[in-house]
DNA sequence: CACCATGTTCCTTG
DNA sequence: CCAAGGAACATGGT
């Protein structure tokens, strides 16, 4: 589920559902997702706390909670396969439930097949993040400064969350295609013109994905239901297949939407990159 | 069986 | 010290 657009849509979806709800009890089924917070501390802080707001930073979800007069943040990350949603209190929990927060008539479920995600009181990871790509801080100057000294291929550099926060493997390929820039280009070799184009392409790709996700009939509620944000999910009620939503990602061998040239897949830093060798020559 | 998968962190190497 | 590359984490799909 998780790159910036999916997290943004999830945050907007969850915020009104959890607001003012009080955590009655906590069940931790997989210790690693709350790390490095100690088990006992996690229980003690969360029990009795009230949800005040939900925000996003990069790919992180920030749950603002209040206990008495004290406010604090519970930080969430979906890893590769994490999902968060509410279920009726009496519903069975899915197989890979990592943490469950009982809210009375409902329960907040953090499910994560691979357990790469997090739900923790340690908020330090957020401080290392670069600017929000859709915010004012993401200026062309700052972006250029971040790219200037790196010899890494620009595709790989876009995954660096200190350069700009929230881009993942899919939108890195998508943004470079829109900007017509080769994913193999060393970051420091990008021209100012290309940097400007890439910055706008990133914003456009993310915004469009958020818009797409916002208009889908979402089904976040576990059991059998895959929601439309799941890249490889198959909910027949939802139009969004990756073929329709992505211009290059997962389209190896299929014709480029601009020029018809077959889309190529290469491996960079151990991960697949999809691109058009004709449209993205420089 | 082999290879692939939306992410981050840690360790090693140069 | 820093940048870059690769393995590890854990499970499932094709």
């Amino acid at each position: 589920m998780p790159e910036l657009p999916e997290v943004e849509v999830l945050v907007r979806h969850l915020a009104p559902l959890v607001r003012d709800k009080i955590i009655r009890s906590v069940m931790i089924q997989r210790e690693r997702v709350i790390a490095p917070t100690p088990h006992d501390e996690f229980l003690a802080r969360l029990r009795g706390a009230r949800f005040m707001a939900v925000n996003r930073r990069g790919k992180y979800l920030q749950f603002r909670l209040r206990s008495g007069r004290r406010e604090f943040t519970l930080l969430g990350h979906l890893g590769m396969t994490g999902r968060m949603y509410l279920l009726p209190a009496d519903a069975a929990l899915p197989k890979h439930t990592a943490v469950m927060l009982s809210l009375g008539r409902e329960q907040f479920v953090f499910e994560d097949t691979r357990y790469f995600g997090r739900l923790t009181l340690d908020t330090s990871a957020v401080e290392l993040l670069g600017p929000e790509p859709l915010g004012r801080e993401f200026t062309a100057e700052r972006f250029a400064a971040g790219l200037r000294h790196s010899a890494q291929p620009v595709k790989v550099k876009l995954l660096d969350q200190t350069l700009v926060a929230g881009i993942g493997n899919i939108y890195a390929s998508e943004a470079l295609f829109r900007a017509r820039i080769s994913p193999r280009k060393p970051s420091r070799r990008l021209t100012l013109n290309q940097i400007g184009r890439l910055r706008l392409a990133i914003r456009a790709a993310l915004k469009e994905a958020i818009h797409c996700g916002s208009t889908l009939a979402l089904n976040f509620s576990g059991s059998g239901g895959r929601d439309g944000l799941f890249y490889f999910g198959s909910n027949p009620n939802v139009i969004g297949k990756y073929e329709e939503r992505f211009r290059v990602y997962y389209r190896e061998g299929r014709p480029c939407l601009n020029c018809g040239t077959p889309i190529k897949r290469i491996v960079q830093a151990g991960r697949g990159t999809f691109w058009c060798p004709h449209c993205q020559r420089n």
Side-chain angles (χ1 to χ4, degrees), chain A residues 16-87:
Chain A
L17 298 181
V18 300
R19 184 162 302 141
D20 290 330
K21 300 252 162 78
I22 293 170
I23 300 171
R24 311 295 181 83
S25 64
V26 177
M27 186 193 303
I28 302 164
Q29 299 213 126
R30 185 62 70 123
E31 297 290 329
R32 72 167 264 141
V33 308
I34 67 166
T37 306
H39 186 108
D40 293 346
E41 184 189 332
F42 193 86
L43 298 184
R45 296 280 302 280
L46 291 201
R47 276 197 292 235
R50 176 193 299 266
F51 281 95
M52 305 302 290
V54 190
N55 296 293
R56 179 193 58 73
R57 181 78 171 86
K59 301 172 194 171
Y60 290 88
L61 299 98
Q62 300 168 304
F63 298 95
R64 281 303 282 173
L65 294 170
R66 172 152 44 184
S67 258
R69 291 152 301 284
R70 300 182 194 289
E71 275 208 24
F72 61 99
T73 298
L74 175 66
L75 194 69
H77 194 290
L78 299 171
M80 295 272 264
T81 53
R83 305 174 71 194
M84 294 181 185
Y85 46 82
L86 297 188
L87 288 179

